[in-house]
Amino acid sequence: GAMGGSASLIPRDLLGEYQELTFLSKQEILLAYKRFSELLPKEERENACSARVPKSQILTLPELRANPFQHRICHVFSTSENRDDSMSFEDFLDMLSVFSDSATSDIKSHYAFRIFDFDDDGTLDRKDLEQLVNCLTGQGEESRLSSAEMEQLIQNILEESDIDKDGTINLSEFQHVVSRSPDFASSFKIVL
């Protein structure tokens, strides 16, 4: 890079590829690159395109710090071989792409489903729904639901969503519910 150590930018051919593969504009990709490389130690910034950022660093982003599903988000978007939920720049871009305003609500609901599927078994069962509610209500003593309230709420969710009545919500049932809640897509976003 030039003297003065300005972060080396994304090679032009990659930039074009990232624009085609994501819902992000060129500006957004460059900003994402800047934010990503700032999460790396100084000596790794030159090679930000091939570096991985540990989950603990990803979680320092203010946009994720405030998100009750921060751990699940890292887990779902990480392609890490050793399952440490670290992120490559491409993982990071994928995450921002899905959470961007331009992503379709189909894509958003597909990823929301994966994020809410805490045990990664492809369906939302009672346990997943319980964790989902706990994430949303917060873990504080005063905000936690009693087990009766939790039971009632999960009943309601299943009555609304579980179309084939098998006691779990599958992806298409989830997408059906989401399609009826107009504010879903706008709430499911991260803007850097």
Side-chain angles (χ1 to χ4, degrees):
M3 294 299 289
S6 64
S8 52
L9 287 173
I10 306 173
R12 184 168 272 150
D13 52 337
L14 262 184
L15 190 57
E17 204 176 306
Y18 290 152
Q19 277 175 270
E20 279 175 36
L21 294 174
T22 65
F23 295 100
L24 303 170
S25 68
K26 184 176 164 181
Q27 264 1 83
E28 290 171 317
I29 293 168
L30 293 171
L31 176 61
Y33 185 80
K34 180 176 183 292
R35 291 292 298 274
F36 184 80
S37 53
E38 285 165 359
L39 295 171
L40 288 165
K42 287 209 165 38
E43 62 278 5
E44 286 183 42
R45 287 182 191 169
E46 283 295 300
N47 309 314
C49 273
S50 55
R52 297 195 74 86
V53 167
K55 173 182 175 176
S56 55
Q57 277 299 98
I58 299 282
L59 293 178
T60 63
L61 290 164
E63 299 77 14
L64 277 179
R65 239 194 338 242
N67 192 306
F69 303 104
Q70 43 173 251
H71 296 285
R72 290 295 306 158
I73 291 170
C74 287
H75 178 72
V76 164
F77 288 97
S78 168
T79 56
S80 164
E81 303 271 307
N82 58 8
R83 306 184 59 76
D84 61 3
D85 295 352
S86 62
M87 279 196 197
S88 66
F89 178 56
E90 295 187 2
D91 295 344
F92 188 64
L93 273 189
D94 275 339
M95 173 181 81
L96 292 179
S97 176
V98 168
F99 282 99
S100 77
D101 272 337
S102 326
T104 63
S105 83
D106 232 30
I107 297 259
K108 285 181 184 290
S109 56
H110 173 82
Y111 278 94
F113 182 83
R114 289 184 54 196
I115 288 166
F116 299 160
D117 177 15
F118 288 87
D119 56 9
D120 296 316
D121 69 350
T123 63
L124 306 187
D125 55 25
R126 303 181 80 94
K127 261 193 128 62
D128 292 323
L129 295 174
E130 200 168 309
Q131 280 184 269
L132 175 57
V133 171
N134 280 333
C135 277
L136 290 171
T137 54
Q139 297 292 343
E141 281 309 304
E142 63 291 338
S143 55
R144 286 190 80 145
L145 298 183
S146 70
S147 43
E149 291 169 321
M150 177 68 85
E151 187 48 46
Q152 187 55 58
L153 184 54
I154 288 177
Q155 271 312 114
N156 297 351
I157 295 174
L158 286 170
E159 269 162 38
E160 292 263 305
S161 325
D162 178 19
I163 298 164
D164 61 14
K165 299 292 173 230
D166 66 350
T168 65
I169 301 169
N170 61 34
L171 176 61
S172 61
E173 289 169 337
F174 181 76
Q175 289 186 312
H176 180 69
V177 173
V178 166
S179 67
R180 295 184 318 207
S181 49
D183 52 349
F184 171 76
S186 59
S187 64
F188 199 72
K189 75 174 187 199
I190 293 178
V191 179
L192 283 185

